Amino acid sequence: RYSDFNPDIDQVAAYGIGGLIAGKILAKAGFFAVILKFWKFIAIGAVALFSSFRKKIFGNKKEA
């Protein structure tokens, strides 16, 4: 409980709410940096996935 806290014995975390928010922002920035670095590969993979999905749904239309 909060009333049982003794600052001489109990340890307090060195980070506060600001540190948690900064860590969250850095994690998001790192995620977006990876996406920006590999956006070409991600785009090619998305197009390939979409085209294979489209072929399975609509099938190949061959002209005679």
Side-chain angles (χ1 to χ4, degrees):
R1 291 183 294 174
Y2 186 76
S3 60
D4 295 334
F5 178 75
N6 184 352
D8 295 330
I9 299 171
D10 298 328
Q11 295 179 354
V12 179
Y15 55 88
I17 192 73
L20 293 173
I21 293 171
K24 186 76 169 178
I25 290 171
L26 289 175
K28 285 184 181 180
F31 174 71
F32 289 127
V34 168
I35 288 179
L36 287 175
K37 187 174 183 179
F38 297 110
W39 73 270
K40 290 179 185 177
F41 298 113
I42 293 171
I44 291 170
V47 169
L49 185 67
F50 177 73
S51 65
S52 67
F53 180 72
R54 189 179 62 143
K55 284 182 183 178
K56 285 184 180 182
I57 297 295
F58 297 112
N60 288 337
K61 294 183 180 179
K62 297 180 181 177
E63 295 183 22

Short mmCIF file of all heavy atoms in Angstrom, two decimals:
data_model
loop_
_atom_site.label_atom_id
_atom_site.label_comp_id
_atom_site.label_asym_id
_atom_site.label_seq_id
_atom_site.Cartn_x
_atom_site.Cartn_y
_atom_site.Cartn_z
N ARG A 1 0.82 -1.19 0.00
CA ARG A 1 0.00 0.00 0.00
C ARG A 1 0.86 1.25 0.00
O ARG A 1 2.02 1.21 0.41
CB ARG A 1 -0.92 -0.01 1.21
CG ARG A 1 -2.00 -1.08 1.12
CD ARG A 1 -2.92 -1.01 2.28
NE ARG A 1 -2.15 -1.34 3.48
CZ ARG A 1 -2.62 -1.27 4.70
NH1 ARG A 1 -3.84 -0.90 4.91
NH2 ARG A 1 -1.87 -1.56 5.72
N TYR A 2 0.27 2.33 -0.43
CA TYR A 2 0.99 3.60 -0.51
C TYR A 2 1.44 4.07 0.87
O TYR A 2 2.52 4.63 1.03
CB TYR A 2 0.09 4.65 -1.17
CG TYR A 2 0.78 5.96 -1.42
CD1 TYR A 2 1.66 6.09 -2.48
CD2 TYR A 2 0.56 7.05 -0.61
CE1 TYR A 2 2.31 7.28 -2.73
CE2 TYR A 2 1.20 8.25 -0.84
CZ TYR A 2 2.08 8.37 -1.90
OH TYR A 2 2.71 9.54 -2.14
N SER A 3 0.63 3.83 1.88
CA SER A 3 0.98 4.28 3.23
C SER A 3 2.14 3.49 3.83
O SER A 3 2.78 3.95 4.77
CB SER A 3 -0.25 4.19 4.14
OG SER A 3 -0.69 2.84 4.20
N ASP A 4 2.43 2.30 3.28
CA ASP A 4 3.53 1.46 3.77
C ASP A 4 4.87 1.82 3.16
O ASP A 4 5.88 1.23 3.51
CB ASP A 4 3.24 -0.01 3.49
CG ASP A 4 2.03 -0.50 4.27
OD1 ASP A 4 1.74 0.08 5.33
OD2 ASP A 4 1.38 -1.45 3.80
N PHE A 5 4.92 2.77 2.26
CA PHE A 5 6.16 3.14 1.57
C PHE A 5 7.13 3.79 2.54
O PHE A 5 6.81 4.71 3.27
CB PHE A 5 5.85 4.10 0.42
CG PHE A 5 7.08 4.56 -0.31
CD1 PHE A 5 7.74 3.71 -1.17
CD2 PHE A 5 7.58 5.84 -0.12
CE1 PHE A 5 8.88 4.12 -1.84
CE2 PHE A 5 8.70 6.27 -0.79
CZ PHE A 5 9.36 5.40 -1.65
N ASN A 6 8.37 3.27 2.54
CA ASN A 6 9.44 3.83 3.36
C ASN A 6 10.57 4.21 2.41
O ASN A 6 11.23 3.34 1.85
CB ASN A 6 9.93 2.81 4.39
CG ASN A 6 10.96 3.39 5.33
OD1 ASN A 6 11.45 4.50 5.13
ND2 ASN A 6 11.29 2.63 6.37
N PRO A 7 10.86 5.51 2.19
CA PRO A 7 11.87 5.92 1.22
C PRO A 7 13.28 5.47 1.58
O PRO A 7 14.14 5.39 0.71
CB PRO A 7 11.76 7.44 1.18
CG PRO A 7 11.01 7.83 2.40
CD PRO A 7 10.20 6.65 2.82
N ASP A 8 13.53 5.13 2.83
CA ASP A 8 14.86 4.67 3.22
C ASP A 8 15.10 3.22 2.80
O ASP A 8 16.23 2.84 2.51
CB ASP A 8 15.05 4.79 4.73
CG ASP A 8 15.01 6.24 5.20
OD1 ASP A 8 15.40 7.12 4.39
OD2 ASP A 8 14.59 6.49 6.34
N ILE A 9 14.07 2.43 2.75
CA ILE A 9 14.20 1.00 2.45
C ILE A 9 13.77 0.69 1.01
O ILE A 9 14.45 -0.02 0.29
CB ILE A 9 13.35 0.17 3.43
CG1 ILE A 9 13.85 0.38 4.86
CG2 ILE A 9 13.40 -1.31 3.07
CD1 ILE A 9 12.95 -0.23 5.90
N ASP A 10 12.63 1.23 0.62
CA ASP A 10 12.04 0.90 -0.69
C ASP A 10 12.75 1.65 -1.81
O ASP A 10 13.15 2.80 -1.65
CB ASP A 10 10.55 1.26 -0.69
CG ASP A 10 9.78 0.46 0.35
OD1 ASP A 10 10.17 -0.69 0.62
OD2 ASP A 10 8.79 0.99 0.89
N GLN A 11 12.86 0.98 -2.93
CA GLN A 11 13.49 1.59 -4.10
C GLN A 11 12.44 2.26 -4.98
O GLN A 11 11.32 1.79 -5.09
CB GLN A 11 14.23 0.54 -4.91
CG GLN A 11 15.38 -0.09 -4.18
CD GLN A 11 16.07 -1.13 -5.02
OE1 GLN A 11 15.62 -1.47 -6.10
NE2 GLN A 11 17.18 -1.65 -4.52
N VAL A 12 12.85 3.35 -5.59
CA VAL A 12 11.97 4.09 -6.49
C VAL A 12 12.56 3.96 -7.89
O VAL A 12 13.78 4.03 -8.07
CB VAL A 12 11.88 5.58 -6.09
CG1 VAL A 12 10.99 6.34 -7.05
CG2 VAL A 12 11.38 5.70 -4.67
N ALA A 13 11.70 3.76 -8.86
CA ALA A 13 12.17 3.64 -10.24
C ALA A 13 12.83 4.94 -10.68
O ALA A 13 12.39 6.03 -10.33
CB ALA A 13 11.01 3.30 -11.15
N ALA A 14 13.90 4.83 -11.45
CA ALA A 14 14.66 6.00 -11.88
C ALA A 14 13.96 6.74 -13.02
O ALA A 14 14.28 7.87 -13.32
CB ALA A 14 16.06 5.58 -12.32
N TYR A 15 13.02 6.09 -13.69
CA TYR A 15 12.32 6.74 -14.79
C TYR A 15 10.93 7.14 -14.33
O TYR A 15 10.34 6.54 -13.45
CB TYR A 15 12.23 5.81 -16.00
CG TYR A 15 11.61 4.46 -15.69
CD1 TYR A 15 10.24 4.28 -15.77
CD2 TYR A 15 12.39 3.39 -15.32
CE1 TYR A 15 9.66 3.07 -15.47
CE2 TYR A 15 11.83 2.16 -15.02
CZ TYR A 15 10.46 2.01 -15.10
OH TYR A 15 9.90 0.81 -14.80
N GLY A 16 10.43 8.16 -14.94
CA GLY A 16 9.09 8.63 -14.63
C GLY A 16 8.21 8.51 -15.85
O GLY A 16 8.51 7.79 -16.81
N ILE A 17 7.13 9.22 -15.82
CA ILE A 17 6.19 9.18 -16.95
C ILE A 17 6.83 9.76 -18.20
O ILE A 17 6.58 9.30 -19.31
CB ILE A 17 4.87 9.89 -16.59
CG1 ILE A 17 3.78 9.60 -17.64
CG2 ILE A 17 5.06 11.38 -16.47
CD1 ILE A 17 3.25 8.21 -17.55
N GLY A 18 7.70 10.74 -18.03
CA GLY A 18 8.42 11.32 -19.18
C GLY A 18 9.31 10.31 -19.87
O GLY A 18 9.40 10.26 -21.09
N GLY A 19 9.98 9.48 -19.07
CA GLY A 19 10.83 8.43 -19.65
C GLY A 19 10.03 7.39 -20.40
O GLY A 19 10.46 6.90 -21.44
N LEU A 20 8.87 7.04 -19.88
CA LEU A 20 8.01 6.08 -20.56
C LEU A 20 7.51 6.63 -21.89
O LEU A 20 7.48 5.93 -22.90
CB LEU A 20 6.83 5.69 -19.68
CG LEU A 20 7.17 4.90 -18.42
CD1 LEU A 20 5.94 4.72 -17.55
CD2 LEU A 20 7.75 3.56 -18.79
N ILE A 21 7.11 7.89 -21.90
CA ILE A 21 6.63 8.52 -23.13
C ILE A 21 7.77 8.64 -24.14
O ILE A 21 7.60 8.34 -25.32
CB ILE A 21 6.00 9.90 -22.82
CG1 ILE A 21 4.72 9.70 -22.01
CG2 ILE A 21 5.71 10.66 -24.11
CD1 ILE A 21 4.13 10.97 -21.48
N ALA A 22 8.95 9.05 -23.68
CA ALA A 22 10.10 9.17 -24.59
C ALA A 22 10.47 7.81 -25.17
O ALA A 22 10.79 7.70 -26.36
CB ALA A 22 11.29 9.78 -23.85
N GLY A 23 10.43 6.77 -24.36
CA GLY A 23 10.72 5.42 -24.85
C GLY A 23 9.71 4.97 -25.88
O GLY A 23 10.05 4.33 -26.88
N LYS A 24 8.46 5.30 -25.67
CA LYS A 24 7.41 4.94 -26.63
C LYS A 24 7.61 5.67 -27.95
O LYS A 24 7.47 5.09 -29.02
CB LYS A 24 6.04 5.28 -26.02
CG LYS A 24 4.88 4.83 -26.81
CD LYS A 24 4.68 3.36 -26.66
CE LYS A 24 3.34 2.97 -27.24
NZ LYS A 24 3.11 1.55 -27.16
N ILE A 25 7.98 6.94 -27.87
CA ILE A 25 8.21 7.72 -29.09
C ILE A 25 9.43 7.19 -29.84
O ILE A 25 9.40 7.05 -31.07
CB ILE A 25 8.38 9.22 -28.74
CG1 ILE A 25 7.04 9.79 -28.30
CG2 ILE A 25 8.92 10.00 -29.93
CD1 ILE A 25 7.13 11.18 -27.73
N LEU A 26 10.49 6.85 -29.11
CA LEU A 26 11.67 6.29 -29.76
C LEU A 26 11.38 4.94 -30.41
O LEU A 26 11.90 4.64 -31.48
CB LEU A 26 12.82 6.17 -28.77
CG LEU A 26 13.45 7.48 -28.32
CD1 LEU A 26 14.49 7.22 -27.24
CD2 LEU A 26 14.08 8.20 -29.50
N ALA A 27 10.56 4.14 -29.76
CA ALA A 27 10.20 2.84 -30.33
C ALA A 27 9.42 3.03 -31.63
O ALA A 27 9.65 2.33 -32.62
CB ALA A 27 9.39 2.04 -29.33
N LYS A 28 8.49 3.98 -31.63
CA LYS A 28 7.73 4.25 -32.85
C LYS A 28 8.64 4.81 -33.94
O LYS A 28 8.51 4.46 -35.10
CB LYS A 28 6.59 5.23 -32.56
CG LYS A 28 5.44 4.61 -31.84
CD LYS A 28 4.31 5.60 -31.68
CE LYS A 28 3.16 4.98 -30.93
NZ LYS A 28 2.06 5.93 -30.76
N ALA A 29 9.54 5.68 -33.57
CA ALA A 29 10.46 6.27 -34.55
C ALA A 29 11.35 5.18 -35.15
O ALA A 29 11.61 5.19 -36.35
CB ALA A 29 11.31 7.36 -33.91
N GLY A 30 11.79 4.25 -34.34
CA GLY A 30 12.59 3.14 -34.84
C GLY A 30 11.80 2.26 -35.79
O GLY A 30 12.31 1.80 -36.81
N PHE A 31 10.55 2.03 -35.47
CA PHE A 31 9.68 1.22 -36.33
C PHE A 31 9.49 1.90 -37.68
O PHE A 31 9.62 1.27 -38.72
CB PHE A 31 8.33 1.02 -35.64
CG PHE A 31 7.31 0.32 -36.48
CD1 PHE A 31 7.45 -1.02 -36.77
CD2 PHE A 31 6.22 1.01 -36.99
CE1 PHE A 31 6.51 -1.68 -37.54
CE2 PHE A 31 5.29 0.36 -37.76
CZ PHE A 31 5.43 -0.98 -38.04
N PHE A 32 9.22 3.19 -37.66
CA PHE A 32 9.02 3.92 -38.92
C PHE A 32 10.33 4.06 -39.69
O PHE A 32 10.32 4.09 -40.92
CB PHE A 32 8.40 5.29 -38.65
CG PHE A 32 6.96 5.19 -38.21
CD1 PHE A 32 6.54 5.81 -37.06
CD2 PHE A 32 6.04 4.47 -38.94
CE1 PHE A 32 5.22 5.72 -36.64
CE2 PHE A 32 4.73 4.37 -38.54
CZ PHE A 32 4.32 5.00 -37.39
N ALA A 33 11.45 4.12 -39.00
CA ALA A 33 12.74 4.19 -39.69
C ALA A 33 13.00 2.90 -40.46
O ALA A 33 13.49 2.93 -41.59
CB ALA A 33 13.85 4.46 -38.69
N VAL A 34 12.64 1.77 -39.87
CA VAL A 34 12.80 0.48 -40.56
C VAL A 34 11.87 0.41 -41.76
O VAL A 34 12.28 -0.05 -42.84
CB VAL A 34 12.53 -0.69 -39.57
CG1 VAL A 34 12.41 -2.01 -40.30
CG2 VAL A 34 13.63 -0.76 -38.54
N ILE A 35 10.66 0.89 -41.60
CA ILE A 35 9.71 0.88 -42.73
C ILE A 35 10.24 1.76 -43.86
O ILE A 35 10.20 1.38 -45.03
CB ILE A 35 8.32 1.34 -42.28
CG1 ILE A 35 7.67 0.24 -41.44
CG2 ILE A 35 7.43 1.67 -43.47
CD1 ILE A 35 6.32 0.58 -40.91
N LEU A 36 10.75 2.95 -43.53
CA LEU A 36 11.27 3.83 -44.56
C LEU A 36 12.50 3.24 -45.24
O LEU A 36 12.72 3.46 -46.43
CB LEU A 36 11.60 5.20 -43.96
CG LEU A 36 10.40 6.06 -43.62
CD1 LEU A 36 10.86 7.34 -42.93
CD2 LEU A 36 9.59 6.39 -44.85
N LYS A 37 13.28 2.50 -44.49
CA LYS A 37 14.50 1.91 -45.05
C LYS A 37 14.16 0.79 -46.03
O LYS A 37 14.82 0.65 -47.06
CB LYS A 37 15.38 1.38 -43.92
CG LYS A 37 16.73 0.92 -44.38
CD LYS A 37 17.60 0.55 -43.20
CE LYS A 37 18.98 0.16 -43.66
NZ LYS A 37 19.86 -0.18 -42.55
N PHE A 38 13.15 0.01 -45.73
CA PHE A 38 12.81 -1.15 -46.54
C PHE A 38 11.48 -0.99 -47.27
O PHE A 38 10.81 -1.98 -47.57
CB PHE A 38 12.77 -2.41 -45.66
CG PHE A 38 14.09 -2.75 -45.05
CD1 PHE A 38 14.29 -2.60 -43.69
CD2 PHE A 38 15.12 -3.22 -45.83
CE1 PHE A 38 15.51 -2.92 -43.11
CE2 PHE A 38 16.35 -3.54 -45.27
CZ PHE A 38 16.54 -3.38 -43.91
N TRP A 39 11.08 0.24 -47.59
CA TRP A 39 9.76 0.45 -48.18
C TRP A 39 9.63 -0.19 -49.54
O TRP A 39 8.54 -0.64 -49.93
CB TRP A 39 9.41 1.93 -48.23
CG TRP A 39 10.17 2.71 -49.26
CD1 TRP A 39 11.35 3.34 -49.09
CD2 TRP A 39 9.80 2.93 -50.62
NE1 TRP A 39 11.75 3.94 -50.24
CE2 TRP A 39 10.81 3.71 -51.21
CE3 TRP A 39 8.72 2.55 -51.39
CZ2 TRP A 39 10.76 4.10 -52.54
CZ3 TRP A 39 8.67 2.95 -52.72
CH2 TRP A 39 9.68 3.72 -53.27
N LYS A 40 10.72 -0.28 -50.30
CA LYS A 40 10.64 -0.90 -51.63
C LYS A 40 10.32 -2.38 -51.52
O LYS A 40 9.47 -2.89 -52.24
CB LYS A 40 11.95 -0.71 -52.38
CG LYS A 40 12.22 0.71 -52.79
CD LYS A 40 13.55 0.82 -53.52
CE LYS A 40 13.87 2.27 -53.83
NZ LYS A 40 15.18 2.41 -54.48
N PHE A 41 11.00 -3.07 -50.62
CA PHE A 41 10.76 -4.50 -50.44
C PHE A 41 9.35 -4.76 -49.91
O PHE A 41 8.69 -5.72 -50.32
CB PHE A 41 11.80 -5.11 -49.51
CG PHE A 41 13.20 -5.01 -50.04
CD1 PHE A 41 14.13 -4.21 -49.41
CD2 PHE A 41 13.57 -5.70 -51.18
CE1 PHE A 41 15.42 -4.12 -49.90
CE2 PHE A 41 14.86 -5.61 -51.68
CZ PHE A 41 15.78 -4.81 -51.04
N ILE A 42 8.88 -3.91 -49.02
CA ILE A 42 7.54 -4.05 -48.47
C ILE A 42 6.50 -3.82 -49.57
O ILE A 42 5.52 -4.56 -49.67
CB ILE A 42 7.33 -3.08 -47.29
CG1 ILE A 42 8.24 -3.48 -46.12
CG2 ILE A 42 5.88 -3.05 -46.85
CD1 ILE A 42 8.29 -2.49 -45.00
N ALA A 43 6.73 -2.82 -50.42
CA ALA A 43 5.80 -2.53 -51.52
C ALA A 43 5.77 -3.67 -52.52
O ALA A 43 4.69 -4.09 -52.97
CB ALA A 43 6.19 -1.22 -52.20
N ILE A 44 6.93 -4.22 -52.88
CA ILE A 44 6.99 -5.34 -53.83
C ILE A 44 6.27 -6.56 -53.24
O ILE A 44 5.51 -7.23 -53.93
CB ILE A 44 8.45 -5.67 -54.18
CG1 ILE A 44 9.04 -4.54 -55.02
CG2 ILE A 44 8.55 -6.99 -54.92
CD1 ILE A 44 10.54 -4.64 -55.22
N GLY A 45 6.48 -6.82 -51.97
CA GLY A 45 5.81 -7.94 -51.31
C GLY A 45 4.31 -7.75 -51.27
O GLY A 45 3.54 -8.70 -51.47
N ALA A 46 3.85 -6.52 -51.02
CA ALA A 46 2.41 -6.25 -50.97
C ALA A 46 1.78 -6.44 -52.35
O ALA A 46 0.69 -7.00 -52.47
CB ALA A 46 2.16 -4.84 -50.46
N VAL A 47 2.46 -5.98 -53.40
CA VAL A 47 1.94 -6.16 -54.77
C VAL A 47 1.89 -7.63 -55.12
O VAL A 47 0.90 -8.11 -55.70
CB VAL A 47 2.80 -5.36 -55.78
CG1 VAL A 47 2.45 -5.74 -57.20
CG2 VAL A 47 2.61 -3.87 -55.56
N ALA A 48 2.92 -8.38 -54.78
CA ALA A 48 2.94 -9.83 -55.07
C ALA A 48 1.84 -10.54 -54.31
O ALA A 48 1.15 -11.41 -54.87
CB ALA A 48 4.30 -10.41 -54.72
N LEU A 49 1.63 -10.18 -53.07
CA LEU A 49 0.58 -10.81 -52.27
C LEU A 49 -0.79 -10.48 -52.84
O LEU A 49 -1.65 -11.36 -52.96
CB LEU A 49 0.69 -10.33 -50.82
CG LEU A 49 -0.26 -10.97 -49.83
CD1 LEU A 49 0.11 -12.44 -49.65
CD2 LEU A 49 -0.16 -10.25 -48.50
N PHE A 50 -1.01 -9.24 -53.22
CA PHE A 50 -2.29 -8.83 -53.78
C PHE A 50 -2.55 -9.54 -55.11
O PHE A 50 -3.66 -9.99 -55.36
CB PHE A 50 -2.33 -7.31 -53.99
CG PHE A 50 -3.58 -6.84 -54.64
CD1 PHE A 50 -4.77 -6.82 -53.94
CD2 PHE A 50 -3.59 -6.42 -55.96
CE1 PHE A 50 -5.94 -6.39 -54.54
CE2 PHE A 50 -4.74 -5.99 -56.57
CZ PHE A 50 -5.92 -5.97 -55.86
N SER A 51 -1.53 -9.64 -55.96
CA SER A 51 -1.74 -10.28 -57.26
C SER A 51 -2.02 -11.77 -57.11
O SER A 51 -2.86 -12.32 -57.82
CB SER A 51 -0.54 -10.05 -58.17
OG SER A 51 0.60 -10.69 -57.66
N SER A 52 -1.35 -12.44 -56.18
CA SER A 52 -1.64 -13.86 -55.99
C SER A 52 -3.02 -14.06 -55.39
O SER A 52 -3.73 -15.00 -55.75
CB SER A 52 -0.57 -14.51 -55.10
OG SER A 52 -0.64 -13.99 -53.80
N PHE A 53 -3.43 -13.17 -54.52
CA PHE A 53 -4.77 -13.24 -53.94
C PHE A 53 -5.82 -13.01 -55.02
O PHE A 53 -6.84 -13.69 -55.08
CB PHE A 53 -4.91 -12.20 -52.83
CG PHE A 53 -6.25 -12.18 -52.18
CD1 PHE A 53 -6.64 -13.21 -51.35
CD2 PHE A 53 -7.13 -11.13 -52.39
CE1 PHE A 53 -7.88 -13.20 -50.74
CE2 PHE A 53 -8.37 -11.10 -51.79
CZ PHE A 53 -8.75 -12.14 -50.96
N ARG A 54 -5.56 -12.05 -55.92
CA ARG A 54 -6.49 -11.75 -57.00
C ARG A 54 -6.61 -12.93 -57.96
O ARG A 54 -7.71 -13.25 -58.43
CB ARG A 54 -6.03 -10.51 -57.75
CG ARG A 54 -7.04 -9.99 -58.75
CD ARG A 54 -6.51 -8.77 -59.42
NE ARG A 54 -5.29 -9.14 -60.14
CZ ARG A 54 -4.94 -8.65 -61.31
NH1 ARG A 54 -5.68 -7.74 -61.87
NH2 ARG A 54 -3.84 -9.03 -61.89
N LYS A 55 -5.50 -13.60 -58.24
CA LYS A 55 -5.53 -14.76 -59.14
C LYS A 55 -6.33 -15.91 -58.54
O LYS A 55 -7.04 -16.62 -59.24
CB LYS A 55 -4.12 -15.23 -59.47
CG LYS A 55 -3.42 -14.36 -60.47
CD LYS A 55 -2.04 -14.90 -60.81
CE LYS A 55 -1.32 -13.98 -61.76
NZ LYS A 55 0.02 -14.46 -62.07
N LYS A 56 -6.23 -16.09 -57.22
CA LYS A 56 -6.99 -17.16 -56.58
C LYS A 56 -8.48 -16.85 -56.58
O LYS A 56 -9.30 -17.75 -56.72
CB LYS A 56 -6.50 -17.36 -55.15
CG LYS A 56 -5.19 -18.08 -55.06
CD LYS A 56 -4.80 -18.35 -53.64
CE LYS A 56 -3.47 -19.07 -53.61
NZ LYS A 56 -3.06 -19.40 -52.25
N ILE A 57 -8.84 -15.61 -56.42
CA ILE A 57 -10.25 -15.24 -56.36
C ILE A 57 -10.87 -15.24 -57.76
O ILE A 57 -11.92 -15.84 -57.99
CB ILE A 57 -10.43 -13.84 -55.72
CG1 ILE A 57 -9.95 -13.87 -54.28
CG2 ILE A 57 -11.87 -13.36 -55.80
CD1 ILE A 57 -10.76 -14.75 -53.36
N PHE A 58 -10.24 -14.57 -58.72
CA PHE A 58 -10.83 -14.40 -60.04
C PHE A 58 -10.33 -15.42 -61.05
O PHE A 58 -10.94 -15.59 -62.10
CB PHE A 58 -10.56 -12.98 -60.56
CG PHE A 58 -11.20 -11.92 -59.72
CD1 PHE A 58 -10.43 -11.06 -58.97
CD2 PHE A 58 -12.58 -11.80 -59.66
CE1 PHE A 58 -11.01 -10.09 -58.19
CE2 PHE A 58 -13.16 -10.83 -58.86
CZ PHE A 58 -12.38 -9.97 -58.12
N GLY A 59 -9.23 -16.06 -60.79
CA GLY A 59 -8.68 -17.05 -61.72
C GLY A 59 -7.98 -16.36 -62.87
O GLY A 59 -8.04 -15.15 -63.06
N ASN A 60 -7.27 -17.15 -63.67
CA ASN A 60 -6.57 -16.61 -64.83
C ASN A 60 -7.53 -16.59 -66.01
O ASN A 60 -8.17 -17.58 -66.34
CB ASN A 60 -5.36 -17.49 -65.19
CG ASN A 60 -4.25 -17.34 -64.17
OD1 ASN A 60 -4.19 -16.35 -63.48
ND2 ASN A 60 -3.40 -18.34 -64.10
N LYS A 61 -7.62 -15.46 -66.65
CA LYS A 61 -8.49 -15.33 -67.82
C LYS A 61 -7.62 -15.44 -69.06
O LYS A 61 -6.83 -14.54 -69.36
CB LYS A 61 -9.23 -13.98 -67.81
CG LYS A 61 -10.21 -13.88 -66.65
CD LYS A 61 -10.96 -12.59 -66.69
CE LYS A 61 -11.93 -12.52 -65.51
NZ LYS A 61 -12.67 -11.28 -65.46
N LYS A 62 -7.77 -16.54 -69.75
CA LYS A 62 -6.96 -16.78 -70.95
C LYS A 62 -7.81 -16.49 -72.18
O LYS A 62 -8.96 -16.93 -72.28
CB LYS A 62 -6.46 -18.22 -71.00
CG LYS A 62 -5.54 -18.55 -69.86
CD LYS A 62 -5.08 -19.98 -69.95
CE LYS A 62 -4.18 -20.31 -68.77
NZ LYS A 62 -3.77 -21.72 -68.80
N GLU A 63 -7.22 -15.76 -73.11
CA GLU A 63 -7.92 -15.48 -74.36
C GLU A 63 -7.65 -16.59 -75.36
O GLU A 63 -6.55 -17.09 -75.47
CB GLU A 63 -7.45 -14.15 -74.93
CG GLU A 63 -7.82 -12.97 -74.05
CD GLU A 63 -7.42 -11.66 -74.66
OE1 GLU A 63 -7.23 -11.60 -75.89
OE2 GLU A 63 -7.26 -10.70 -73.92
N ALA A 64 -8.69 -16.99 -76.11
CA ALA A 64 -8.54 -18.07 -77.07
C ALA A 64 -8.15 -17.56 -78.43
O ALA A 64 -8.38 -16.50 -78.86
CB ALA A 64 -9.84 -18.85 -77.16
#
